[in-house]
């Protein structure tokens, strides 16, 4: 369906922008996309809950800004 195509496009753009995040932000986002919970991410990375939540929040804000930028993740 059209909705699935749009979702695939957005996922592709997201993955293209991941390298623009810090290494910590990349790891948190990748683990979240892999289905891990905050607690599981804490355990994997050996970090506290607030660190995981702040890192995820900053990563999502950065990705949102990057996706809203003209030409972002569109191969230009």
């Amino acid at each position: 369906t059209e909705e699935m195509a749009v979702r695939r496009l957005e996922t592709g753009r997201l993955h293209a922008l991941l390298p623009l995040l810090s290494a910590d932000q990349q790891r948190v986002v990748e683990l979240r996309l892999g289905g891990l919970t905050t607690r599981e991410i804490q355990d994997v990375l050996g970090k506290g809950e607030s660190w995981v939540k702040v890192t995820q929040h900053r990563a999502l804000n950065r990705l949102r800004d990057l996706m809203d930028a003209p030409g972002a993740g569109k191969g230009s």
Side-chain angles (χ1 to χ4, degrees):
T1 67
E2 183 178 340
E3 182 178 323
M4 289 173 57
V6 169
R7 189 174 303 144
R8 267 188 244 127
L9 175 62
E10 292 300 315
T11 300
R13 287 180 65 205
L14 173 67
H15 285 285
L17 295 172
L18 282 178
L20 300 176
L21 301 177
S22 73
D24 287 335
Q25 291 173 345
Q26 286 180 45
R27 284 194 303 260
V28 170
V29 170
E30 288 167 352
L31 292 170
R32 179 63 76 185
L33 290 173
L36 273 66
T37 65
T38 299
R39 179 68 189 165
E40 291 166 333
I41 295 171
Q42 287 175 239
D43 293 343
V44 168
L45 299 180
K47 302 287 187 177
E49 179 181 9
S50 62
W51 183 92
V52 172
K53 287 182 175 184
V54 167
T55 302
Q56 177 178 293
H57 178 75
R58 289 178 179 165
L60 295 177
N61 282 341
R62 176 83 172 123
L63 286 169
R64 188 177 302 114
D65 290 345
L66 290 167
M67 290 182 87
D68 288 343
K74 295 178 186 173
S76 51

